[in-house]
């Protein structure tokens, strides 16, 4: 079997073809809600302008077998992280403020301490909703046939599901409208996989709403960031829930909820106060709290923001995610899951779980991991080197990171892009990292992506519509595949009944000169898939 030549991508276009495709692509994006609010701040309350989201002109090649494998793995990941979130002892050890990452990472510690207080009060989360995204890169070490390697697993604010569906539809449209001028035999209809992420994610929110056993007029609360530019990615879910499930949403920031949110002291139901000319009752009851924020310390500029977050958690509304599930998405958890026997603890214990996974399934999951270790570990690569940390000496984990720096990335317990330290920057960073903070960082072997793969990237930087901002840039790229899934599960004993689905995918593409990969942070563009054999 011949292996696809990634260096042959993208196909060559004439200047006339490139200009025509750009017009088709940007017009389609603006016509079909593939949009961002412009970068000008502060944003007006009533939007008056929008720009198309950053996008790739061609879909990016992904081997068919690896795409199918990623979808297959998602079911196991959905169950795995649901079980991790229910294992309080495991999370206390790995992420807690007494023995884990929360001791040295203030943000993680704040979340864990709030969760601990709620547990001490006897507040139990009956149901948790996770909307997940598992991110992968193609790994092609020494020009070997590519394999699938996980970058990270997201348990909070897994974004761009809806806009990713729109960009996959855009690429299908470009093929129907132009056949891409027959520049590649791979650009055939059967190689454009269907992406139905909007309906899929909405189905998870609707399942949680139905499980709340609520009156028909309850709503889903979306907790947003201030000056949210990625609002259309969220609005498409709102429209889908209203049109297909007759469920309404309400959107508020933590700062707004500080004034409007209240929990009934008897029933623990969550209510949000609204003006009486919007709702005669003056309030709405909330069935599901869907967090599209609260994943970064900048979302908590004052202590009252944490107080409000914990107030929401104290209610009977189903959280997406709960504090436990948010903590389960920590990078340290990802590293610990790669240690010997830990996956088996969650996936193969027949005494604890009625459904177990086979050795082959677990090995497939483990094969998607890159090598990882904590900077605090000793020579056994498992336990922290307490003596070295106390004395200020370098741990084995730090020495190993120095020695292998050119093939590593260092990751803190943060989401949202722009937080990692790469390759040549690692030694200098380690020189400044206080010994007590080592436990908050993990080292991960870099994924080696196929070389010399390219694409045409289009960004719209403002509402001015200048031709310069719309000019496609041909550059070598790295494309990251994300698979979406959702899970609805509860504390019904150790063997919680996990209802889960795999519901769609995205591709984010960036120039090889950029280490980071966030679209919202400006590093990447939205993309889709062309399946290759």
């Amino acid at each position: 079997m011949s292996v696809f030549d990634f260096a042959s991508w993208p196909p060559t276009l004439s200047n006339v073809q490139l200009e025509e495709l750009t017009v088709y692509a940007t017009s389609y994006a603006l016509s079909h809600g593939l949009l961002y609010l412009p970068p000008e701040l502060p944003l007006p309350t009533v939007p008056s302008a929008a720009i198309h989201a950053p996008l790739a002109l061609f879909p990016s090649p992904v081997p068919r077998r690896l795409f199918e494998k990623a979808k297959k793995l998602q079911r196991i990941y959905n169950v795995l992280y649901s079980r991790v979130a229910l294992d309080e002892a495991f999370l206390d050890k790995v992420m807690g403020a007494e023995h884990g990452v929360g001791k040295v990472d203030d943000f993680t510690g704040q979340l864990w301490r709030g969760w601990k207080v709620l547990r001490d009060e006897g507040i139990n989360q009956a149901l948790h909703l996770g909307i997940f995204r598992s991110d992968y890169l193609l790994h092609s070490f020494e020009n070997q046939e590519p394999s699938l390697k996980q970058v990270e697993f997201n348990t909070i604010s897994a974004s761009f599901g809806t806009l990713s569906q729109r960009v996959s539809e855009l690429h299908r449209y470009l093929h129907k409208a132009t056949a891409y001028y027959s520049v590649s035999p791979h650009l055939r209809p059967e190689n454009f996989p269907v992406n139905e992420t909007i309906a899929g994610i909405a189905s998870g929110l609707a399942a949680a709403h139905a499980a709340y056993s609520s009156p028909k007029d309850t709503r889903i609360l979306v907790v947003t960031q201030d000056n949210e530019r990625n609002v259309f990615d969220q609005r498409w879910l709102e429209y889908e829930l209203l049109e297909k499930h007759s469920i309404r949403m309400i959107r508020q920031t933590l700062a707004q909820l500080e004034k409007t949110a209240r929990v009934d002291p008897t029933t623990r139901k969550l209510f949000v106060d609204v003006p009486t000319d919007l709702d005669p009752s003056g309030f709405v009851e909330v069935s599901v709290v869907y967090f599209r924020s609260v994943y970064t310390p900048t979302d908590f500029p004052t202590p009252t923001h944490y107080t409000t977050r914990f107030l929401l958690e104290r209610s009977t509304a189903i959280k997406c995610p709960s504090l436990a599930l948010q903590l389960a998405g920590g990078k340290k958890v990802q590293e610990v899951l790669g240690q010997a026997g830990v996956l088996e603890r969650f996936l193969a214990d027949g005494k604890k779980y009625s459904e177990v996974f086979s050795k082959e399934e677990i090995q497939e999951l483990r094969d998607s991991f890159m090598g990882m270790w904590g900077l605090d570990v000793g020579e056994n690569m498992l336990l922290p080197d307490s003596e070295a940390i106390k004395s200020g000496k370098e741990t084995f984990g730090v020495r190993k990171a120095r020695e292998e720096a050119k093939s590593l990335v260092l990751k803190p317990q943060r989401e949202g892009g722009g937080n990692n330290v790469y390759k040549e920057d690692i030694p200098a960073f380690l020189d400044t990292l206080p010994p007590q903070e080592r436990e908050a960082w993990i080292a991960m072997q870099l994924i080696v992506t196929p070389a010399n793969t390219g694409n045409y990237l289009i960004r719209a930087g403002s509402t001015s519509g200048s031709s310069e901002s719309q000019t496609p840039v041909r550059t070598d790229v790295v494309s990251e595949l994300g698979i979406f899934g959702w899970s609805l599960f509860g504390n019904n004993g150790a063997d919680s009944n996990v209802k889960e689905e795999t519901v769609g995918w995205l591709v984010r593409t960036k120039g090889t000169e950029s280490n980071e990969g966030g679209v919202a942070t400006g590093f990447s563009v939205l993309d889709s898939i062309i399946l290759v054999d």
Side-chain angles (χ1 to χ4, degrees):
M1 180 183 69
S2 61
V3 179
F4 177 79
D5 180 13
F6 285 88
S8 68
W9 203 260
T12 301
L13 293 171
S14 69
N15 289 337
V16 173
Q17 291 170 337
L18 180 59
E19 182 176 351
E20 189 77 355
L21 278 177
T22 302
V23 172
Y24 274 118
T26 55
S27 299
Y28 184 95
L30 292 166
S31 302
H32 290 78
L34 183 50
L35 300 173
Y36 255 31
L37 291 178
E40 292 82 5
L41 295 177
L43 293 173
T45 303
V46 179
S48 58
I51 59 175
H52 68 75
L55 56 92
L57 200 54
F58 281 93
S60 287
V62 174
R64 194 181 309 269
R65 64 179 180 83
L66 296 183
F67 180 58
E68 294 302 323
K69 180 178 182 179
K71 292 192 294 182
K72 177 183 176 183
L73 289 177
Q74 189 62 33
R75 174 176 176 269
I76 311 175
Y77 273 119
N78 290 343
V79 175
L80 171 63
Y81 275 85
S82 300
R83 291 175 177 175
V84 168
L86 295 181
D87 195 322
E88 294 180 358
F90 177 82
L91 287 176
D92 286 347
K93 180 179 179 181
V94 177
M95 299 294 286
E98 295 174 357
H99 306 289
V101 170
K103 287 189 304 181
V104 296
D105 183 279
D106 182 63
F107 177 58
T108 301
Q110 290 270 24
L111 297 180
W112 182 86
R113 283 187 289 271
W115 180 46
K116 180 70 163 54
V117 167
L118 295 176
R119 287 188 285 157
D120 290 345
E121 291 177 5
I123 292 177
N124 182 40
Q125 301 296 313
L127 285 171
H128 309 242
L129 175 65
I131 294 177
F132 303 136
R133 196 186 70 226
S134 185
D135 293 333
Y136 303 93
L137 289 173
L138 302 183
H139 184 53
S140 184
F141 186 66
E142 294 182 345
N143 295 319
Q144 296 176 350
E145 186 175 352
S147 59
L148 193 71
K149 294 296 183 179
Q150 188 185 63
V151 178
E152 63 183 358
F153 192 88
N154 302 276
T155 64
I156 183 168
S157 190
S159 59
F160 293 110
T162 65
L163 294 193
S164 292
Q165 176 174 328
R166 291 289 176 252
V167 79
S168 68
E169 293 164 351
L170 179 151
H171 286 149
R172 294 174 71 90
Y173 158 76
L174 290 179
H175 183 266
K176 288 181 179 179
T178 71
Y180 276 100
Y181 309 110
S182 302
V183 293
S184 170
H186 298 286
L187 293 164
R188 303 192 304 270
E190 61 269 26
N191 291 339
F192 290 79
V194 174
N195 190 3
E196 297 180 339
T197 311
I198 298 174
I201 294 177
S203 70
L205 290 165
H209 177 84
Y212 180 73
S213 301
S214 57
K216 289 183 179 180
D217 58 352
T218 57
R219 300 191 196 181
I220 293 175
L221 168 66
V222 187
V223 184
T224 64
Q225 291 178 318
D226 293 317
N227 291 307
E228 176 62 80
R229 293 182 58 217
N230 192 26
V231 63
F232 300 100
D233 186 54
Q234 301 166 16
R235 288 291 189 183
W236 280 115
L237 288 175
E238 178 181 339
Y239 306 149
E240 180 78 10
L241 284 165
L242 185 61
E243 294 170 6
K244 301 293 178 60
H245 303 278
S246 299
I247 299 171
R248 291 193 291 172
M249 277 185 163
I250 180 174
R251 298 169 55 84
Q252 293 208 1
T253 65
L254 273 185
Q256 291 172 317
L257 289 166
E258 178 188 346
K259 301 175 182 177
T260 62
R262 55 187 173 87
V263 174
D264 185 281
T266 302
T267 65
R268 288 181 33 232
K269 289 184 177 182
L270 175 62
F271 298 93
V272 176
D273 293 333
V274 296
T276 54
D277 48 355
L278 296 182
D279 191 296
S281 67
F283 63 87
V284 295
E285 182 182 344
V286 174
S287 59
V288 179
V289 183
Y290 177 34
F291 290 104
R292 291 297 295 259
S293 62
V294 309
Y295 54 81
T296 176
T298 57
D299 288 333
F300 296 88
T302 71
T304 57
H305 285 74
Y306 283 103
T307 301
T308 303
R309 170 68 182 91
F310 301 144
L311 175 73
L312 301 177
E313 192 78 13
R314 189 170 273 106
S315 74
T316 56
I318 299 170
K319 269 67 69 178
C320 178
S322 62
L323 283 168
L325 190 52
Q326 181 172 353
L327 290 167
K331 303 296 189 296
K332 188 66 177 179
V333 170
Q334 184 185 11
E335 180 243 316
V336 172
L337 289 174
Q339 297 176 7
V342 179
L343 285 181
E344 286 76 7
R345 168 180 173 174
F346 290 105
L347 298 176
D349 187 348
K351 294 181 180 179
K352 191 173 185 180
Y353 302 113
S354 59
E355 179 189 16
V356 297
F357 294 86
S358 68
K359 291 181 179 179
E360 292 75 19
E361 288 174 313
I362 294 173
Q363 188 57 48
E364 272 198 297
L365 196 76
R366 183 173 280 117
D367 287 343
S368 70
F369 294 167
M370 293 297 288
M372 287 175 277
W373 66 88
L375 293 184
D376 60 327
V377 297
E379 294 195 27
N380 65 0
M381 295 292 285
L382 293 176
L383 298 175
D385 186 344
S386 302
E387 292 302 317
I389 293 172
K390 288 179 182 178
S391 65
K393 296 180 181 179
E394 287 199 340
T395 60
F396 178 79
V398 169
R399 294 198 302 273
K400 184 176 174 64
R402 285 189 185 277
E403 293 167 1
E404 302 181 20
K406 291 184 179 180
S407 61
L408 295 179
V409 54
L410 302 185
K411 295 184 174 185
Q413 310 304 309
R414 295 288 180 271
E415 304 296 334
N419 302 300
N420 300 335
V421 182
Y422 291 84
K423 297 187 288 191
E424 290 83 1
D425 295 333
I426 289 175
F429 172 78
L430 293 174
D431 290 340
T432 63
L433 182 67
Q436 66 272 18
E437 294 184 18
R438 293 169 184 160
E439 194 168 353
W441 290 79
I442 68 166
M444 176 178 168
Q445 293 174 341
L446 280 171
I447 302 169
V448 182
T449 56
N452 303 316
T453 306
N455 211 323
Y456 294 91
L457 311 184
I458 308 175
R459 290 182 172 89
S462 69
T463 55
S464 64
S466 68
S467 59
E468 183 178 351
S469 68
Q470 301 293 320
T471 302
V473 176
R474 165 64 170 87
T475 186
D476 286 352
V477 299
V478 173
S479 294
E480 186 172 303
L481 170 66
I483 303 295
F484 285 96
W486 62 262
S487 175
L488 184 64
F489 58 98
N491 289 321
N492 302 319
D495 190 10
S496 169
N497 180 27
V498 178
K499 181 179 181 180
E500 57 78 33
E501 288 187 17
T502 299
V503 295
W505 49 269
L506 68 73
V507 178
R508 292 174 297 175
T509 291
K510 64 181 181 181
T512 53
E513 75 282 354
S514 171
N515 285 319
E516 295 292 349
V519 176
T521 46
F523 298 107
S524 297
V525 305
L526 294 173
D527 198 351
S528 75
I529 295 171
I530 191 71
L531 295 175
V532 297
D533 296 313

